[in-house]
Amino acid sequence: MITYEDHRLRALADDGRWPELLTAYRQGRAAAVERAGEEPAAALTAPLGHLIAYSAPPELSVRLFDRDGGPGTVAGVADHDAGPLWEVLATRHSWLRLAPLLVPAPVRRLVAQTRVLLGEDLSYGAEPDPEGMPLLLAPWETAGWDEGARVRQYLPCGGARSALLTLPASREGLGEVVLPAPGARLGGQRATRALAALADWAEVVCVRGPAPQAAAQLARRSRVTGGYLPFALVYPALVQAAVVDRGRGSAHGRLALWRALVAMAGAEGTDGPDRAEVDALVARMRCFIWHEPAAGLRHLHVALEDPACGLAWAVSGSEDL
């Protein structure tokens, strides 16, 4: 939890004097950019930005991202405190309220994708996603994931609560498995690169063969505690793998995972992903998870097999928080 030492700013917030707070944010950020550069300035002013994004009326809070204040004053997509300022904003207001107000395209897209994760249907009335990513959650995206855990739950004066999603979450339902000999690694797969973009703390390999042969490439031992899960139960942890960095939000994870699924299914189309092909991939996917004894607080050990093409991808890594 962040405490605000500047009592004047706290008093302004208590009185709802948001234009003055926005001015203070912009002046402070511009001065810090001139003095120390963009990245330190973003960090120094993020607590005040969080307060504005969380509590100010949307007509004012969206102006954090407007360039009308001049050079150095605008919050970018990477500005964050407990999480990205755009994600804080997205958790506070519906797309109906925000759509007429948000201008910058990168922020607008991430806010829209966040609202989709929170359960809004933007498939009608909203502009299409630049990559054609769906603006409505597929049934398999909601089946294994409680709505309240999909995005960080932000607090008014800083800080956030978030679910710690790991794979495997426990040993329950898993058994002892002797892995086969590792499959031969395949290089140059677009899906491998896309999966690697989910989490820079995890290793990704692709093999020709079933999921256990992919797992054998990365597992530390040939005898593991493991088992199979439906993709719907694997999906949340894959999305949240991208959110270890507080500068990234759940929208980053969803977009990255959809890119990986599109590449795995060969579902690229001229007008965006072929969603029927992605749905078919998800339906036939075999997901093998295994436990590693030295796993950190956040860990991911899963192999994704597409029996239709005979390929499997393993994603394995551990991150101490």
Side-chain angles (χ1 to χ4, degrees), residues 28-44:
R29 196 182 189 289
V33 167
E34 186 173 351
R35 182 174 64 251
E38 183 70 26
E39 190 171 335
L44 285 169

Side-chain angles (χ1 to χ4, degrees), residues 100-306:
L101 306 171
L102 276 170
V103 175
V107 171
R108 186 178 179 87
R109 183 194 191 189
L110 291 167
V111 168
Q113 286 288 334
T114 304
R115 292 308 309 174
V116 170
L117 275 165
L118 291 171
E120 278 199 62
D121 179 358
L122 304 188
S123 58
Y124 297 97
E127 65 268 20
D129 182 86
E131 293 178 84
M133 299 301 183
L135 295 174
L136 172 67
L137 293 177
W140 47 265
E141 293 185 273
T142 61
W145 204 359
D146 180 72
E147 184 176 316
R150 295 176 197 159
V151 178
R152 296 180 183 98
Q153 295 180 351
Y154 290 100
L155 306 175
C157 293
R161 302 185 186 97
S162 59
L164 188 63
L165 300 175
T166 59
L167 271 177
S170 72
R171 294 172 180 259
E172 185 178 354
L174 305 182
E176 188 173 281
V177 177
V178 177
L179 295 174
R185 295 195 183 199
L186 298 178
Q189 300 291 321
R190 289 183 59 246
T192 307
R193 296 191 296 271
L195 284 169
L198 280 173
D200 58 10
W201 46 270
E203 186 178 0
V204 181
V205 298
C206 176
V207 307
R208 186 171 299 283
Q213 284 191 325
Q217 275 284 357
L218 300 181
R220 298 183 184 182
R221 303 173 182 176
S222 61
R223 190 180 298 272
V224 299
T225 301
Y228 286 89
L229 280 181
F231 182 77
L233 298 181
V234 171
Y235 171 81
L238 289 173
V239 171
Q240 289 298 305
V243 191
V244 172
D245 181 351
R246 288 186 297 175
R248 288 165 62 89
S250 295
H252 285 115
R254 181 177 188 248
L255 289 168
L257 184 51
W258 264 90
R259 291 184 192 110
L261 293 172
V262 169
M264 291 167 71
E268 300 89 346
T270 55
D271 296 324
D274 186 328
R275 299 175 200 177
E277 289 289 338
V278 173
D279 288 343
L281 168 69
V282 168
R284 67 179 180 261
M285 188 106 70
R286 303 189 75 222
C287 305
F288 178 81
I289 63 171
W290 74 94
H291 177 77
E292 292 282 1
L297 284 176
R298 187 186 297 273
H299 54 268
L300 192 63
H301 306 293
V302 60
L304 308 170
E305 174 192 341
D306 180 4

